[in-house]
């Protein structure tokens, strides 16, 4: 919880907290053990082999057993650290398919958040307990970093690119939200709170004040407004099923169509031309706000869920 004064250990409010903490404690334990061992041995050996009258230095012989021991033990320990850490890291990079996607926009100096229903909030993030959450994030200006210590997750939020992070809140309460990347004068005030609620309470909160239209619905309107539909309707390449598909380009390269690919295709369409097509699409650079690009992407993603029109 927030404002509980000094805490020895931060709250464990997400599915990752326990695993991250176990690894952290293991690393602290290993480094503490070896640090103490080395310092004790330095003092002990310095005293034991100090210069004394009548004692001559003895020649030292190689001990293969000793060499192997101090090679194999650290090697095994570092392998444990590597696979343990990599396991958690890989899990954190792969949000489950049913994760609820929440849009996050960083700007100097606030966090703008939009829920899938369209409801917006600033510097506050309300979440239902027990539901995997995926934050889909970008910045309007400089680099920020979305950091929630109680959830043990932190991810840079970059201008001109999308990043994401996911977690499942497991405990009700209010938790800190920080910007963890120095972003200018009021960086230290770019803070907020995360409120984890009972799923029913979250639904009630969502319904509380009338929200905006959902990002996908907003994107559908832009799709018509900017006449994307003229080409991507009946006559040109349809967009259903594009998100997540494998794209092959005229230069022979390939890429999976993720959010960053869609962004590039909207703002700089000639960067990668899908094989079999002509570079006919105009650029929308400068015509769309960051939020509008996010809405269009939400719309294109939503096409995969609906039956074709
Ligand atoms: Cu935004 Cu620091």
């Amino acid at each position: 919880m927030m404002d509980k004064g000094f805490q020895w250990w931060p709250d464990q409010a997400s599915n990752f907290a326990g695993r991250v903490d176990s690894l952290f404690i293991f690393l602290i334990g290993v480094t503490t053990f070896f640090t103490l061992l080395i310092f004790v041995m330095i003092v002990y050996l310095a005293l034991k082999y100090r210069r004394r009258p009548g004692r001559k230095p003895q020649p030292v012989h190689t001990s293969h057993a000793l060499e192997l021991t101090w090679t194999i033990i650290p090697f095994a320990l570092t392998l444990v650290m590597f696979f343990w850490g990599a396991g958690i890291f890989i899990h954190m990079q792969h949000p489950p398919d049913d994760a609820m996607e929440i849009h996050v926009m960083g700007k100097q100096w606030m966090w703008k958040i939009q829920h899938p229903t369209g409801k917006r909030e600033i510097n506050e993030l309300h979440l239902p307990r027990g539901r995997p959450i995926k934050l889909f994030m970008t910045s309007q200006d400089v680099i920020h970093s979305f950091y929630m210590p109680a959830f043990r997750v932190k991810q840079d939020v970059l201008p001109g690119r999308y990043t994401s992070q996911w977690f499942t809140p497991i405990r009700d309460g209010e938790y800190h939200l920080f910007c963890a990347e120095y972003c200018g004068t009021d960086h230290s005030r770019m803070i907020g709170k995360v409120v984890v609620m009972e799923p029913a309470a979250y639904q009630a909160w969502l319904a509380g004040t009338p929200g905006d239209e959902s990002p996908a619905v907003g994107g559908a309107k832009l799709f018509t407004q900017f006449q994307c539909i003229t080409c991507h309707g009946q006559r040109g390449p349809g967009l259903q099923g594009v998100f997540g598909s494998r794209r092959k380009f005229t230069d022979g390269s390939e890429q999976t169509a993720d959010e960053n690919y869609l962004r590039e295709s909207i703002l700089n369409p000639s960067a990668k031309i899908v094989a079999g097509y002509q570079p006919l699409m105009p650029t929308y650079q400068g015509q769309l706000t960051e939020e509008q690009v996010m809405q269009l992407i939400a719309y294109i993603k939503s096409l995969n869920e609906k039956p074709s029109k």
Side-chain angles (χ1 to χ4, degrees), residues 32-47:
T32 306
F33 173 78
F34 282 102
T35 304
L36 288 177
L37 180 71
I38 288 166
F39 275 88
V40 168
M41 292 304 277
I42 286 172
V43 173
Y44 170 74
L45 294 174
L47 291 175

Side-chain angles (χ1 to χ4, degrees), residues 45-229:
L45 294 174
L47 291 175
K48 182 170 164 52
Y49 294 106
R50 68 187 182 275
R51 181 152 50 178
R52 273 184 277 190
R55 191 190 265 189
K56 292 262 154 28
Q58 301 296 313
V60 177
H61 302 286
T62 302
S63 161
H64 289 293
L66 189 61
E67 294 272 359
L68 284 172
T69 305
W70 72 41
T71 304
I72 289 169
I73 290 177
F75 180 62
L77 279 170
T78 47
L79 279 186
V80 168
M81 291 172 191
F82 173 76
F83 283 105
W84 192 345
I88 298 174
F89 179 79
I90 289 167
H91 190 205
M92 285 179 148
Q93 297 300 311
H94 291 88
D97 289 336
D98 65 339
M100 182 170 88
E101 193 171 284
I102 294 179
H103 287 198
V104 173
M105 176 83 70
K107 63 170 283 194
Q108 290 168 318
W109 288 275
M110 65 174 79
W111 296 108
K112 300 200 304 189
I113 285 154
Q114 191 175 23
H115 293 256
T117 59
K119 179 135 173 162
R120 296 170 187 278
E121 49 186 339
I122 287 176
N123 293 341
E124 287 192 10
L125 173 58
H126 287 75
L127 298 173
R129 193 191 60 227
R131 178 87 199 266
I133 305 292
K134 180 188 169 193
L135 301 178
F136 175 46
M137 312 189 294
T138 192
S139 164
Q140 230 169 279
D141 39 48
V142 300
I143 301 176
H144 305 275
S145 183
F146 201 87
Y147 179 34
M148 296 170 292
F151 298 165
R152 310 294 190 273
V153 290
K154 175 161 66 175
Q155 172 64 51
D156 278 9
V157 176
L158 309 168
R161 201 159 106 188
Y162 299 119
T163 54
S164 67
Q165 58 183 342
W166 85 274
F167 55 91
T168 305
I170 56 167
R171 273 183 51 194
D172 292 357
E174 293 187 3
Y175 306 99
H176 287 291
L177 161 63
F178 296 115
C179 179
E181 179 67 44
Y182 181 68
C183 56
T185 313
D186 279 340
H187 156 72
S188 64
R189 300 218 300 229
M190 193 167 162
I191 54 178
K193 69 174 176 183
V194 185
V195 183
V196 179
M197 316 162 90
E198 291 276 336
Y202 172 73
Q203 290 305 328
W205 174 84
L206 272 182
T209 48
D212 218 336
E213 61 199 5
S214 77
V217 169
K221 284 188 184 162
L222 292 169
F223 199 74
T224 308
Q225 185 190 330
F226 283 87
Q227 270 124 45
C228 314
I229 197 162

